[in-house]
Amino acid sequence: MSTAVLNNTNTELSDLIDSKFREFKEGTIVKGTIIEIRPQVVLVDIGYKSEGTISAAEFEDEEIEVGDEVEVLLEKLENDEGMVVLSKEKAAHKQNWEKIVRVYEDGGLVRGKVKAVVKGGLTVNVGVEAFLPGSQVDIIPPKDLTEYVGNIYEFKIVKVNDDRKNIVLSRREVIEAERAELRQRFLQTVKVGDKVTGAVKNITDFGAFVDLQGMDGLLHVTDMSWGRINHPSEMLMIGQSLEVMILDVDREKERVSLGLKQMTDNPWEDIEAKYPIGTQVKGKVTKLLPYGAFVEIERGVEGLVHVSELSWVKRITRPSDVLELDQEIEAVVLGISIEEQKISLGVRQLEPNPWDEIEVRYPIGATIKGPVRNLTAYGAFVELEEGIDGMVHVSDMSWTRKINHPSEVLKKNDEVEAIVLSIDKANQRVSLGLKQLEDDPWSHIDERFKVGDLVKGTVAKIASFGAFVNLDGDIDGLIHISQLSEDHVEKVKDVIKVGDEIEARVIKVDKVERRIGLSIKAVSYSEEELKKESASFESLRPSSEMVGLEQAFNLAAAAAEEWSPSDED
């Protein structure tokens, strides 16, 4: 073969080879065949002048054999060893990226597997790595993102950055779109009276929101139970499945009102027939308040036992003193209000009222015995029987002495006798008297004390207007300040003191007004002088005159200049 022919042939062959190899460009995806599998690399023939290598790690999740065809990315036509550098993963990434971009442009969805939790959200494999912000994971941002790792979901692509090769996903938008479709379908088909099943999504003070397959319905607290509920959390918990009734549908505003109590008959409709007044019922204590206890007598029906209806005789200040939550008790129906859905109950009505026949056990005029249970400023309470006391007023403790406080006569737990004076069944009061056990000494006082008599006694009390003297028989007489001395007296204590033994003359005896007037200065008066002094004593002004025993002590207590032994110089 001539040299010219040979050169021409070589040129044609070289041109043919060059044209073939010009089809291979770095960064393009080509098909190749696996020709050898080594521990570290896989050799792939792509039809180039030399084989290409791919890291064996790119096939770790696949079973491959010699002769398998693969698509690879041509990274470099020739490395330092003269080998073609290929990548199966980068080929897949390039193909998937292009697919992702097309889906994003078309507004479609992609499926992907959640790989891991990262700052601010999750990483997701959708053929390429993408980011799912925590706020886009669900309608309600989850508290624990790790529960999503490993799960496969559909996502909407919300952002693609081609330069940085970043993709942002949203699962929330997918869920919201699905719920919107379900909501429209629900609103088109549902009607008032339908019974539907849903899950409690949220609980508030006024009710609960129930998820009805994409539609949130409001279950108001007043529609949860025929009985009394303070807060929805008493009946419901988040995630709880409920069957409820549709009460109202507003398709324009996309609102649905639900009812739970309407799933059962209204127990209040025939409540009066079921529980006539006077009926004895059983129930469980559901709530204790300062003013009473609520008792459930059947599901959805509660009655109130007011604290005043717990006992006829015991002084109960708080229901919790005698009752406990969940305690089973018996009671009597006292009243019913259907409009307000209220039932009044009583516990004390289970027993006879001891006040009904109180006058039989303690007739007026009868003498009783009992311990002093309590002392107050105005009297002493004496126990007649358990839960029933009689009261001895200070004015009924002595005929002759003005008692300012019952402790002057009685002590707590003293055993005393008294006379029943009156009974007030309506207000549950029994009045007793101590002084009535004895004759009234004032009824024959004029036989013991006469005007002109000289008497001796002890100064018991000093007031601004005079001094009280205890006379024989535990009877007090009053020496008015004007009767202390012939001389003008500014202050009673300047002349006499409590405890002084004095001699005085009786210048006034008033059986009706219960008062005895005494005079020290009249001790040496003649009969004529005594008459004048008595007349002068009678003419004293009401504000400073000789007064009845009780009234005089009242004046003494109110006087601005009242003096006691502790005031002595």
Side-chain angles (χ1 to χ4, degrees):
M1 184 178 294
S2 68
T3 301
V5 173
L6 182 58
N7 289 335
N8 186 48
T9 301
N10 288 337
T11 300
E12 291 177 356
L13 180 59
S14 179
D15 291 341
L16 179 62
I17 292 172
D18 287 343
S19 66
K20 174 67 176 175
F21 290 162
R22 278 197 296 270
E23 296 177 5
F24 295 94
K25 293 182 181 179
E26 292 181 357
T28 61
I29 296 174
V30 297
K31 288 185 178 181
T33 304
I34 296 174
I35 59 174
E36 186 179 348
I37 301 173
R38 297 176 184 176
Q40 299 299 324
V41 296
V42 176
L43 298 183
V44 177
D45 180 13
I46 61 170
Y48 194 58
K49 59 184 179 181
S50 62
E51 294 86 5
T53 62
I54 300 175
S55 172
E58 294 192 27
F59 294 93
E60 65 179 358
D61 292 333
E62 298 182 40
E63 293 183 4
I64 55 174
E65 296 178 359
V66 174
D68 286 351
E69 189 177 78
V70 292
E71 287 187 331
V72 293
L73 179 71
L74 179 56
E75 291 192 81
K76 188 177 288 189
L77 287 171
E78 189 173 339
N79 62 9
D80 294 340
E81 298 174 356
M83 299 288 288
V84 177
V85 180
L86 305 173
S87 173
K88 178 178 176 295
E89 285 185 350
K90 290 182 178 179
H93 185 279
K94 182 177 177 61
Q95 290 172 326
N96 287 334
W97 182 265
E98 292 170 353
K99 179 182 176 183
I100 291 294
V101 172
R102 288 196 300 270
V103 172
Y104 172 63
E105 291 172 348
D106 295 339
L109 304 179
V110 293
R111 286 176 66 81
K113 184 176 183 178
V114 179
K115 291 177 62 179
V117 177
V118 294
K119 184 178 180 180
L122 300 165
T123 56
V124 182
N125 184 0
V126 291
V128 296
E129 188 171 281
F131 177 63
L132 176 63
S135 62
Q136 298 299 313
V137 174
D138 208 332
I139 294 176
I140 301 175
K143 295 180 180 178
D144 184 11
L145 290 174
T146 58
E147 63 186 42
Y148 292 89
V149 175
N151 296 336
I152 296 174
Y153 304 102
E154 283 194 329
F155 303 92
K156 182 177 178 60
I157 305 169
V158 294
K159 186 177 181 181
V160 173
N161 189 318
D162 202 27
D163 295 332
R164 296 184 179 181
K165 294 295 186 281
N166 289 339
I167 297 174
V168 180
L169 306 174
S170 174
R171 177 171 174 263
R172 176 175 179 168
E173 289 192 21
V174 176
I175 296 172
E176 287 178 341
E178 290 174 350
R179 288 176 62 85
E181 183 179 345
L182 290 171
R183 185 162 57 248
Q184 290 305 316
R185 193 181 309 160
F186 180 87
L187 288 169
Q188 290 170 5
T189 58
V190 76
K191 59 183 183 297
V192 174
D194 284 353
K195 295 178 182 179
V196 294
T197 300
V200 178
K201 183 178 179 181
N202 191 26
I203 294 176
T204 68
D205 291 338
F206 57 84
F209 288 96
V210 181
D211 185 358
L212 306 169
Q213 300 177 350
M215 180 75 208
D216 286 350
L218 174 61
L219 175 59
H220 198 271
V221 63
T222 58
D223 289 310
M224 289 182 182
S225 172
W226 293 111
R228 177 185 51 84
I229 295 179
N230 292 319
H231 196 273
S233 58
E234 295 177 12
M235 287 190 65
L236 306 175
M237 62 179 64
I238 293 176
Q240 180 180 347
S241 179
L242 282 181
E243 186 178 19
V244 290
M245 181 178 289
I246 304 295
L247 302 182
D248 186 50
V249 179
D250 187 335
R251 291 180 172 82
E252 183 178 339
K253 295 182 179 179
E254 295 188 351
R255 292 178 182 173
V256 176
S257 297
L258 308 174
L260 182 59
K261 71 181 184 181
Q262 289 80 3
M263 298 292 292
T264 58
D265 292 336
N266 183 356
W268 289 89
E269 288 182 352
D270 57 348
I271 201 73
E272 289 179 314
K274 290 171 68 177
Y275 302 108
I277 293 175
T279 303
Q280 188 169 322
V281 296
K282 291 182 179 180
K284 181 174 69 175
V285 177
T286 58
K287 195 171 187 65
L288 293 170
L289 297 170
Y291 58 83
F294 284 94
V295 179
E296 185 180 57
I297 57 178
E298 70 171 72
R299 185 172 179 81
V301 177
E302 289 183 335
L304 173 65
V305 181
H306 193 269
V307 65
S308 63
E309 300 295 345
L310 288 170
S311 174
W312 291 114
V313 293
K314 291 181 180 178
R315 293 164 183 84
I316 299 171
T317 56
R318 296 183 305 273
S320 56
D321 292 340
V322 293
L323 297 176
E324 296 178 356
L325 284 176
D326 299 324
Q327 180 180 346
E328 296 283 342
I329 66 169
E330 293 186 356
V332 174
V333 177
L334 304 181
I336 294 177
S337 172
I338 298 178
E339 296 78 13
E340 297 179 343
Q341 294 192 351
K342 292 181 180 179
I343 296 180
S344 298
L345 302 175
V347 172
R348 67 181 185 177
Q349 287 75 12
L350 294 168
E351 300 176 352
N353 183 355
W355 285 91
D356 284 345
E357 297 182 351
I358 189 75
E359 70 279 0
V360 175
R361 300 194 303 281
Y362 305 103
I364 293 174
T367 301
I368 60 92
K369 285 185 179 181
V372 175
R373 194 183 60 80
N374 195 23
L375 298 176
T376 69
Y378 53 84
F381 287 90
V382 178
E383 185 177 61
L384 304 180
E385 59 185 65
E386 184 180 4
I388 296 182
D389 292 343
M391 199 267 284
V392 182
H393 195 271
V394 287
S395 62
D396 287 311
M397 290 185 176
S398 173
W399 290 112
T400 58
R401 292 176 54 197
K402 167 62 177 164
I403 308 300
N404 290 314
H405 193 278
S407 59
E408 297 174 18
V409 179
L410 301 172
K411 297 191 298 294
K412 194 172 181 180
N413 298 321
D414 278 355
E415 190 78 17
V416 299
E417 284 189 356
I419 299 290
V420 178
L421 303 181
S422 64
I423 293 175
D424 183 349
K425 290 172 66 173
N427 294 304
Q428 297 187 352
R429 293 174 182 170
V430 176
S431 295
L432 305 176
L434 294 182
K435 70 182 184 181
Q436 288 79 4
L437 291 168
E438 301 174 352
D439 291 337
D440 180 2
W442 286 92
S443 62
H444 46 80
I445 197 70
D446 51 356
E447 297 175 7
R448 296 178 55 194
F449 298 97
K450 295 181 175 60
V451 173
D453 287 352
L454 280 174
V455 294
K456 292 182 178 182
T458 304
V459 177
K461 187 175 180 66
I462 289 177
S464 61
F465 52 82
F468 290 95
V469 178
N470 186 244
L471 304 174
D472 182 43
D474 203 25
I475 290 179
D476 285 347
L478 175 65
I479 304 176
H480 194 270
I481 190 171
S482 64
Q483 299 299 315
L484 289 172
S485 172
E486 294 286 357
D487 300 325
H488 177 71
V489 177
E490 287 287 339
K491 293 183 179 180
V492 177
K493 67 178 182 178
D494 293 339
V495 179
I496 57 175
K497 297 178 175 60
V498 173
D500 285 356
E501 296 288 337
I502 60 98
E503 184 178 41
R505 189 180 293 277
V506 177
I507 59 174
K508 175 71 175 178
V509 177
D510 191 327
K511 187 175 182 180
V512 177
E513 296 295 330
R514 295 175 177 267
R515 60 190 182 185
I516 294 177
L518 303 175
S519 175
I520 291 178
K521 73 178 184 179
V523 168
S524 58
Y525 279 11
S526 65
E527 186 175 342
E528 188 64 28
E529 291 173 322
L530 184 61
K531 287 181 180 179
K532 291 181 180 180
E533 195 62 41
S534 294
S536 174
F537 190 71
E538 289 287 355
S539 65
L540 289 173
R541 296 191 312 275
S543 60
S544 60
E545 66 178 343
M546 176 59 206
V547 293
L549 190 57
E550 293 183 10
Q551 190 176 355
F553 268 108
N554 289 337
L555 285 173
E561 297 180 17
E562 183 173 348
W563 178 83
S564 66
S566 61
D567 295 322
E568 286 191 60
D569 296 328

